[in-house]
Amino acid sequence: MFFLGFLMNILIVGNGFDLSHYLPTKYHHFIKVMTVIENWPESSQNMKFDDLFSLLYESESRFFEKTKALYRTDEIEIYFNEIEVLKEKLKGNVWYQFFNHHVNEIDTWIDFEIEFSRALDLVANFIEKAERIYNKHEKLEQSVLCKLDQEDPNYKYLNFKEKTLEKLSLLNILNTLPNTSLINRSQINSKYYRNKDTNLDFDFHSLIKDLEKDLNYFIDLFDWYLIKIIEKLNLKNEIIKDNLNFPMNDLTVLSFNYTNTYKRFYDASAKVEFVHGQVGNELVLGIPDLKNQFLKKFKNYSFTKYHQKLLKNTDYLFLEENQNIKNMLENSNVGRREINIFIWGHSLAESDESYIREIFSLNRKERVLCTVIVYYYENDAPRLLNNLLDILGNEIIEKWMKKGWLKFLPNPKINFGIREISTIQEAS
């Protein structure tokens, strides 16, 4: 005997959800605040909100005007003794130094993942070359040359272009020697020779261990930023919830964010599954997968999100792992199962391909009707559609849109209790 049916509403939020509420959670926001803290000259003076975000006020004036109008930003204060501790952490973190001083064009967290993956490829390339030279000559010269011509396979010195040498120095793999010519100004950091003996080979295990450790410290810095600044931004007025485009009753929320924005502003009792970890409780920050074959060979999976999720035991439940959804899908006594999925502020990019494929597999299940509504900001619908086409192909997307299973709608307008403000959507 079948029940008539079952209806489930699911809200999936990405970083654009926080940005729609004028919370500065982009990678660019975080790294600029860290830059201000690192260079804060007043050793005995606390920092206020205006101090922290001073480098962003000109380029993102509209965004921060809204933030200051909506939130009690005067409550944000970082004490000088904490600033001094942060300065030391920033100074010694190779990932912060690398991304802050070399890659200025990173804006979103997807950009960060791309550049992080490239940095790991650079590390792998260095280790491969070092290993090849040592195997051939039974010696790895400490000097690293800067040459622009084609590399000689019989050459006994490591040889990189100037920009690569700069990157390797930022990652602390090389030391830059002062007052030397460009062609021989770099040396391999002696701590990365096996047993710290420059007559032996390169100890890539030690290097990878240091890079892993600094990644965890970098994640801690971001967690601090979320706890001390974002989570402490309190609205001046309550959000009026009666005009949202999705039902709030019995809503399942799946968050690709780390923040508690939905619970803080909409429903404190809501059950939110944090796919990549939660602020103050083991964040997941890395690359989607390990594609570099050299790093795969030596099982360096700790830089991947899935390795961190398993190790940190975060709430990485998605659709079919979520107990409520799983029960609904597996209940043989239910007739048609209707699932409405609302996606707000997620980029739908390749970095979350496995989750996107899971969503678009639901209508292949017996007696399941899934409808997906993707919210977009201004003219962003084509980019989101392109991302879906790239992952799933035109056949699936055309079928879903022809049948009305996939729709693109403008971002919901949020009534902040002052006036309705058009929301902002950025890549997650």
Side-chain angles (χ1 to χ4, degrees):
M1 179 178 180
F2 291 119
F3 295 106
L4 290 178
F6 192 100
L7 174 64
M8 175 169 281
N9 295 309
I10 301 170
L11 174 65
I12 297 175
V13 297
N15 195 40
F17 179 76
D18 278 1
L19 295 170
S20 292
H21 293 78
Y22 295 97
L23 293 169
T25 55
K26 286 197 293 187
Y27 167 86
H28 185 64
H29 296 148
F30 159 66
I31 209 71
K32 287 300 182 184
V33 167
M34 292 298 105
T35 301
V36 171
I37 290 174
E38 184 187 25
N39 297 305
W40 185 243
E42 305 296 336
S43 59
S44 61
Q45 185 174 323
N46 299 341
M47 297 184 76
K48 300 284 192 175
F49 187 88
D50 286 342
D51 299 318
L52 292 163
F53 291 95
S54 58
L55 293 181
L56 294 158
Y57 277 0
E58 183 176 351
S59 60
E60 298 188 46
S61 57
R62 177 177 172 270
F63 183 95
F64 283 98
E65 283 171 7
K66 301 294 186 183
T67 304
K68 296 185 71 174
L70 296 171
Y71 295 91
R72 303 183 189 279
T73 56
D74 57 308
E75 296 175 350
I76 302 299
E77 185 170 15
I78 310 300
Y79 295 104
F80 67 89
N81 55 339
E82 192 168 10
I83 294 169
E84 292 305 306
V85 173
L86 286 168
K87 280 185 175 183
E88 287 301 311
K89 289 181 178 179
L90 291 167
K91 181 180 178 182
N93 190 277
V94 297
W95 289 115
Y96 167 74
Q97 296 297 330
F98 180 85
F99 289 114
N100 188 42
H101 294 288
H102 176 69
V103 189
N104 296 320
E105 61 271 20
I106 295 181
D107 187 40
T108 69
W109 287 104
I110 291 175
D111 296 334
F112 167 80
E113 290 178 11
I114 292 170
E115 292 300 331
F116 185 41
S117 182
R118 288 174 179 170
L120 292 176
D121 287 341
L122 181 69
V123 171
N125 183 39
F126 177 90
I127 297 172
E128 281 186 283
K129 284 188 174 183
E131 188 179 68
R132 185 169 65 246
I133 288 176
Y134 183 82
N135 289 339
K136 186 172 185 62
H137 299 283
E138 295 185 349
K139 170 72 175 174
L140 180 62
E141 299 290 345
Q142 193 170 10
S143 293
V144 179
L145 305 188
C146 179
K147 290 170 67 80
L148 301 180
D149 54 342
Q150 189 172 0
E151 186 175 333
D152 183 345
N154 296 314
Y155 207 59
K156 66 177 183 177
Y157 289 93
L158 281 166
N159 167 24
F160 295 98
K161 294 183 179 180
E162 182 180 358
K163 286 187 177 180
T164 301
L165 291 176
E166 291 173 359
K167 295 174 188 178
L168 292 169
S169 295
L170 288 169
L171 292 171
N172 203 32
I173 298 171
L174 301 183
N175 295 322
T176 301
L177 302 176
N179 304 319
T180 56
S181 64
L182 179 65
I183 197 167
N184 61 355
R185 67 177 181 178
S186 301
Q187 283 190 345
I188 299 172
N189 190 332
S190 59
K191 70 179 286 190
Y192 292 128
Y193 281 91
R194 185 158 51 90
N195 299 331
K196 300 181 181 179
D197 184 344
T198 55
N199 292 310
L200 299 178
D201 57 336
F202 189 84
D203 184 1
F204 75 90
H205 291 290
S206 177
L207 170 61
I208 294 298
K209 185 177 179 180
D210 280 354
L211 293 176
E212 290 172 350
K213 179 182 67 178
D214 271 33
L215 175 60
N216 288 327
Y217 290 157
F218 185 82
I219 292 171
D220 289 342
L221 288 167
F222 182 51
D223 196 26
W224 176 93
Y225 173 81
L226 296 176
I227 293 170
K228 291 289 187 175
I229 300 175
I230 304 302
E231 294 285 294
K232 288 191 175 182
L233 282 172
N234 297 310
L235 285 166
K236 294 177 180 178
N237 299 278
E238 280 192 36
I239 290 175
I240 298 172
K241 311 175 185 69
D242 56 5
N243 64 337
L244 290 173
N245 296 16
F246 54 86
M248 291 185 59
N249 293 333
D250 298 321
L251 183 67
T252 298
V253 182
L254 305 176
S255 177
F256 283 82
N257 297 336
Y258 311 105
T259 55
N260 294 296
T261 304
Y262 185 85
K263 292 172 72 73
R264 288 209 299 142
F265 298 161
Y266 291 94
D267 184 0
S269 64
K271 173 61 176 174
V272 179
E273 296 287 358
F274 292 91
V275 180
H276 289 155
Q278 183 180 4
V279 59
N281 185 27
E282 300 286 14
L283 306 188
V284 171
L285 182 62
I287 57 177
D289 202 357
L290 198 62
K291 295 182 179 180
N292 186 286
Q293 293 304 310
F294 185 83
L295 295 175
K296 267 189 175 181
K297 174 183 174 182
F298 294 101
K299 303 180 180 64
N300 299 127
Y301 291 99
S302 55
F303 300 109
T304 64
K305 291 179 182 178
Y306 56 80
H307 182 279
Q308 294 176 31
K309 289 176 188 178
L310 294 168
L311 189 65
K312 297 177 180 180
N313 194 29
T314 61
D315 291 335
Y316 57 97
L317 305 178
F318 196 54
L319 295 177
E320 294 186 40
E321 296 90 356
N322 182 289
Q323 196 58 52
N324 291 335
I325 299 172
K326 183 178 180 180
N327 290 341
M328 184 268 289
L329 291 173
E330 293 180 352
N331 191 338
S332 60
N333 293 321
V334 174
R336 189 167 78 165
R337 305 163 177 86
E338 292 188 24
I339 305 173
N340 296 319
I341 297 179
F342 305 88
I343 302 176
W344 185 351
H346 194 287
S347 63
L348 305 177
E350 183 185 7
S351 59
D352 288 316
E353 177 178 347
S354 61
Y355 301 109
I356 293 167
R357 289 190 178 279
E358 188 174 343
I359 292 170
F360 285 86
S361 71
L362 289 172
N363 278 345
R364 295 201 296 266
K365 298 182 181 298
E366 187 178 1
R367 297 194 304 276
V368 171
L369 175 61
C370 176
T371 301
V372 176
I373 294 175
V374 177
Y375 294 123
Y376 64 89
Y377 171 65
E378 291 187 346
N379 299 316
D380 212 24
R383 181 181 66 86
L384 296 173
L385 176 58
N386 285 340
N387 287 347
L388 288 178
L389 287 168
D390 187 54
I391 293 170
L392 299 166
N394 64 296
E395 187 175 334
I396 292 175
I397 297 302
E398 285 183 16
K399 180 179 179 180
W400 274 65
M401 295 196 75
K402 286 177 181 178
K403 288 185 174 291
W405 299 343
L406 172 62
K407 301 175 184 177
F408 292 84
L409 297 177
N411 272 354
K413 289 185 177 180
I414 305 171
N415 189 336
F416 288 97
I418 303 173
R419 61 186 183 278
E420 286 195 352
I421 301 178
S422 297
T423 60
I424 287 178
Q425 160 91 32
E426 296 285 350
S428 63

